[in-house]
């Protein structure tokens, strides 16, 4: 299953090769061409010479992760790894999590002082990132340095699994769920030029998408994202952002974009016409690649379609497979309506 | 000029919902422009071809505001800011939405003082969700503050004067320069308040030889004023630097020469905290020559501002003279 393969692929920000290879393999022979640009964005193209609006679909390949910055040498710490975050990670979610490090996927565990040894005041507050370390079971620094180097990146070692009522858990659904939707969308037939941009370095500031949009110069762009969902205990309506299982979410405003109202309404009406559940994303915080894309060149019309992801940016994220499926249906419907001229530029 | 300022300030145009004022502004230049259009980000653009280098005049037309982000079962709305409005500025004030709906921004019971928008809700008098949804929708934009008042001494006070004053100046300058046969474009920019998001797209499309941006700058002749030496009523200011730009010396010379020729006293703006369209335009393409000319205001970037009409007139004269001098 593609979402499982993509979710388990190794792709912390700046190290997207593994994800890119999975996508290249999936799209090989199914698109006209694929190019990797200097930043590492993979751009798949279909029907470049066709008439009509040039449409760019975007999904970022990278996931939040960790970067090894130091291999401790000497003393009791010898062989333990210090790290920093790649992207927005809450240090409270890190303790005791298994990780995989570097190109050889060296397994490690994020360690911290056990509860027995903590002073009462230590138990009251979260452990900051600079007090955490990764233990790879090395007997000393030399042992560790033989398999890990500073600059190596790490991801959570979470396996994909389906559970409950049409739910799936795994790491990196933000934004492998978008990658899966984009791989699928690139195999649909449309009468206009279709560009699929699988971008890099979204999690540290939408860095890859800008270059992708600059080289594509689309008339319309749509970012496919995993987004914040907090429809859980104690969250009032305005604190949820999105509701799990209620369909893909459309944005009116986030931290980087005030949505093009006409395009947002076009997507909303398309969902209604096609009987696809849809909801508004009801929070300002957070952003996606469209925040960078819409400001490129003369300005680009478009928006984003987001899948609600519970526990986003955490080691185990949860999506509704119905939401994923409905996001795919909405995307196909939007592409079809663009073909039929329902949205005028 | 004053009539135009009052008329433009009456339009509700929170960032990203500039639709109506766009039509008003483009209608006001339609007769003299060769072409007008609205771009993908909401900028309103008009061009008149003519003699000399191509000069782009820009003024942002948006204002800080709020946007509806949630509607609850009891018919109350939740809002998020668009632009730099804080929860304390928004609380306990009327909000006027672009669709005519009016509401009161309230603080949740039990909260001491408004610090975050999450503590606020908007009461539009709806009895339940269904009624609220007939008068408001998620994504609906609104603004705070009241209409323009003439408070004497040639001074005006009211909502959105920063930067409808700039729009009125840009509008008049464009008409005057077009009549003089100059090659000039005017851009009424969108989405300035959330961080100068749209101006560079217009500059990218127009590729002007020079861009001059008109905007308000906070005057410091107030209690607790920062040491910027900017006074209300003391004339236009040249933007030497802000958070997004440092002016090239050639541009500074151009504005100083134009001021000298008019016998105008020029003030100098150094505003390390300000983020303007000038910086966004300057860094477009391979770099664009960009100047900022500012009129002093009391409380820039807030819902309401206070301006001096003599500054406004002088800013217009300086702008027109600078464009005429450029390239000669």
């Amino acid at each position: 299953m593609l979402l499982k393969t993509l979710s388990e692929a190794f792709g912390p920000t700046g190290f997207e090769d593994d994800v890119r290879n999975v996508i290249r393999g999936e799209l090989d022979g199914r698109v006209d061409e694929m190019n990797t640009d200097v930043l590492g964005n993979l751009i798949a193209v279909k029907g470049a010479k066709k008439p009509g609006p040039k449409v760019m679909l975007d999904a970022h390949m990278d996931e939040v992760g960790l970067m090894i910055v130091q291999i401790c040498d000497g003393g009791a710490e010898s062989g333990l790894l210090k790290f920093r975050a790649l992207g927005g990670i809450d240090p409270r979610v890190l303790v005791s999590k298994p990780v995989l490090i570097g190109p050889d996927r060296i397994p490690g565990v994020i360690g911290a002082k056990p509860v027995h040894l903590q002073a009462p005041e230590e138990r009251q507050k979260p452990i900051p990132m600079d007090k955490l370390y990764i233990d790879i079971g090395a007997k000393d620094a030399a042992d560790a340095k033989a398999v890990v180097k500073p600059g190596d990146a790490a991801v959570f070692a979470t396996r994909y699994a389906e559970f409950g009522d049409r739910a799936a858990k795994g790491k990196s659904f933000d934004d492998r769920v978008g990658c899966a939707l984009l791989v699928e969308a690139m195999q649909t037939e449309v009468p206009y030029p279709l560009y699929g941009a699988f971008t890099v370095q979204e999690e540290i500031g939408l860095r890859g998408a800008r270059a992708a949009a600059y080289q594509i110069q689309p008339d319309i762009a749509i970012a496919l994202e995993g987004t914040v969902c907090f429809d859980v205990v104690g969250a009032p309506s305005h604190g949820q952002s999105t509701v799990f299982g209620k369909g893909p979410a459309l944005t009116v405003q986030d931290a980087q974009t005030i949505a093009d109202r006409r395009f947002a309404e076009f997507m909303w009406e398309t969902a209604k016409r096609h009987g696809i559940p849809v909801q508004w994303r009801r929070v300002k915080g957070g952003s996606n690649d469209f925040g960078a894309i819409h400001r490129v060149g003369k300005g680009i019309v478009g928006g984003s379609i987001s899948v609600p992801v519970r526990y986003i940016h955490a080691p185990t994220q949860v999506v509704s497979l119905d939401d994923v499926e409905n996001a795919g249906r909405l995307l196909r419907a939007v592409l079809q309506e663009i073909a039929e001229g329902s949205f005028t530029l | 000029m004053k009539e135009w300022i009052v008329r433009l300030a009456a339009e509700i145009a929170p960032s990203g919902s500039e639709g109506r004022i766009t039509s008003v502004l483009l209608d006001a230049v339609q007769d003299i422009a060769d072409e007008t259009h609205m771009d993908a980000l909401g900028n309103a653009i008009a061009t008149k071809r003519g003699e000399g280098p191509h000069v782009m005049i820009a003024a942002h037309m948006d204002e800080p505001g709020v946007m509806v982000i949630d509607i609850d079962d009891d018919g109350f709305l939740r809002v998020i800011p668009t632009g730099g409005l804080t929860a304390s500025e928004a609380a306990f004030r009327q909000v006027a939405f672009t669709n005519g709906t009016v509401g009161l921004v309230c603080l949740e019971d039990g909260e001491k003082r408004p610090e975050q928008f999450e503590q606020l809700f908007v009461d539009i008098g709806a009895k339940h969700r269904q009624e609220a949804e007939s008068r408001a929708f998620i994504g609906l934009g609104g603004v705070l503050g009241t209409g323009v008042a003439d408070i004497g001494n040639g001074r005006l006070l009211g909502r959105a004067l920063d930067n409808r004053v700039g729009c009125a100046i840009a509008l008049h300058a464009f008409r005057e320069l077009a009549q003089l046969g100059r090659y000039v474009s005017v851009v009424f920019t969108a989405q300035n308040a959330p961080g100068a998001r749209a101006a560079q797209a217009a500059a990218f499309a127009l590729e002007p030889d020079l861009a001059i941006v008109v905007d308000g700058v906070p005057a410091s002749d107030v209690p607790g004023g920062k040491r910027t030496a900017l006074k209300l009523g003391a004339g236009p200011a040249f933007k030497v630097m802000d958070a997004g730009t440092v002016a090239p010396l050639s541009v500074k010379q151009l504005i100083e020469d134009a001021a000298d020729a008019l016998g105008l006293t020029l003030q100098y703006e150094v505003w390390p905290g300000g983020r303007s369209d000038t910086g966004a335009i300057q860094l477009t393409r391979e770099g664009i020559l960009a100047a900022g000319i500012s009129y002093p205001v009391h409380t820039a970037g807030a819902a309401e501002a206070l301006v001096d009409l003599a500054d406004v007139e002088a800013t217009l004269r300086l702008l027109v003279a600078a464009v005429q001098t450029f390239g000669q």
Side-chain angles (χ1 to χ4, degrees), chain B:
Chain B
M1 176 68 87
K2 183 182 157 190
E3 292 68 33
W4 267 105
I5 293 171
V6 173
R7 179 168 169 199
L8 293 174
E11 296 296 336
I12 294 174
S15 310
S17 308
E18 297 93 348
R20 262 198 25 207
I21 196 172
T22 303
S23 319
V24 172
L25 287 163
L26 289 183
D27 283 352
V29 293
Q30 206 81 51
D31 60 318
I32 200 160
D34 292 330
E35 58 205 59
T36 63
H37 78 286
M38 203 179 109
D39 74 7
L41 300 188
N43 296 308
I45 303 172
T47 297
K48 172 70 181 170
R49 288 180 214 302
E51 297 298 313
H54 182 195
V55 179
M56 163 180 161
I57 297 167
H60 74 85
M61 59 185 164
D62 64 317
E63 60 189 297
V66 295
M67 180 182 274
V68 176
I69 198 70
D70 191 55
I71 300 173
D72 72 17
D73 289 341
D74 299 322
F76 294 113
L77 317 180
R78 297 283 170 159
V79 292
I80 52 175
T82 48
L85 279 186
T86 61
S88 61
E89 283 174 274
F92 317 118
R93 299 180 77 171
Q94 275 193 35
V95 53
F97 292 101
T98 55
N99 67 348
T101 296
V102 174
L104 180 65
V105 183
C106 309
L107 182 64
E108 284 183 3
D109 262 3
E111 298 284 355
K112 286 205 178 80
R113 64 173 70 90
E115 280 161 358
Q116 294 178 328
F117 274 86
E118 286 76 18
Q119 301 167 296
L120 305 178
F121 63 92
V122 177
D123 189 342
I124 56 168
K127 294 199 178 71
H128 43 68
R129 176 192 291 274
Q130 207 180 1
E131 196 180 338
E133 283 177 347
S134 71
R135 283 193 262 149
F137 53 87
I138 292 175
L140 175 65
V143 299
L144 309 159
T146 43
V148 175
D150 187 332
I151 55 171
N153 271 344
R155 290 175 176 188
L156 300 180
L157 159 65
R159 208 202 84 242
L161 284 177
D162 171 12
N163 185 35
R164 300 300 151 70
V165 163
C167 291
I169 292 170
L171 173 64
H172 281 78
F174 174 76
R175 292 195 65 92
E176 208 171 320
L177 290 159
Q179 266 154 5
L180 290 166
R182 299 293 304 222
Y183 183 8
V184 62
S185 293
V186 65
V187 181
F188 301 104
T189 65
Q191 300 190 42
N192 165 277
R197 288 187 186 162
Q200 89 288 342
F204 186 94
L206 292 171
E207 292 187 75
D209 298 299
L210 169 71
I212 303 184
V213 178
V214 188
D215 205 345
V217 64
S220 53
D221 55 342
V222 291
K226 294 227 176 74
R227 290 165 39 201
T228 63
L230 278 169
K231 288 189 172 67
L232 197 71
F238 171 68
K239 186 188 284 287
V240 178
M241 73 158 293
D242 68 20
T245 182
V246 175
L249 288 177
S250 63
V251 162
K252 181 161 174 266
Q253 193 67 52
L254 172 76
I255 304 299
E256 285 177 337
D257 288 350
D260 281 349
L262 291 171
L264 274 179
T265 311
L266 198 59
Q267 306 196 76
Y268 290 90
E269 170 191 344
V270 177
W271 187 15
R275 192 164 286 283
S276 66
D277 284 347
T278 312
I281 292 166
Q282 188 180 28
L283 298 184
T284 300
R285 287 192 180 262
E286 58 267 46
I288 289 175
L289 213 50
I293 298 181
S294 311
Y295 54 91
V297 300
H298 284 164
T299 75
E304 298 191 49
L306 195 156
V307 299
D308 187 304
L309 286 169
D311 289 338
V312 177
E313 290 294 343
T315 306
L316 172 61
R317 286 167 61 217
L318 178 63
L319 174 56
V320 171
V323 175
Q324 285 184 290
T325 316
F326 182 64
Q328 287 188 347

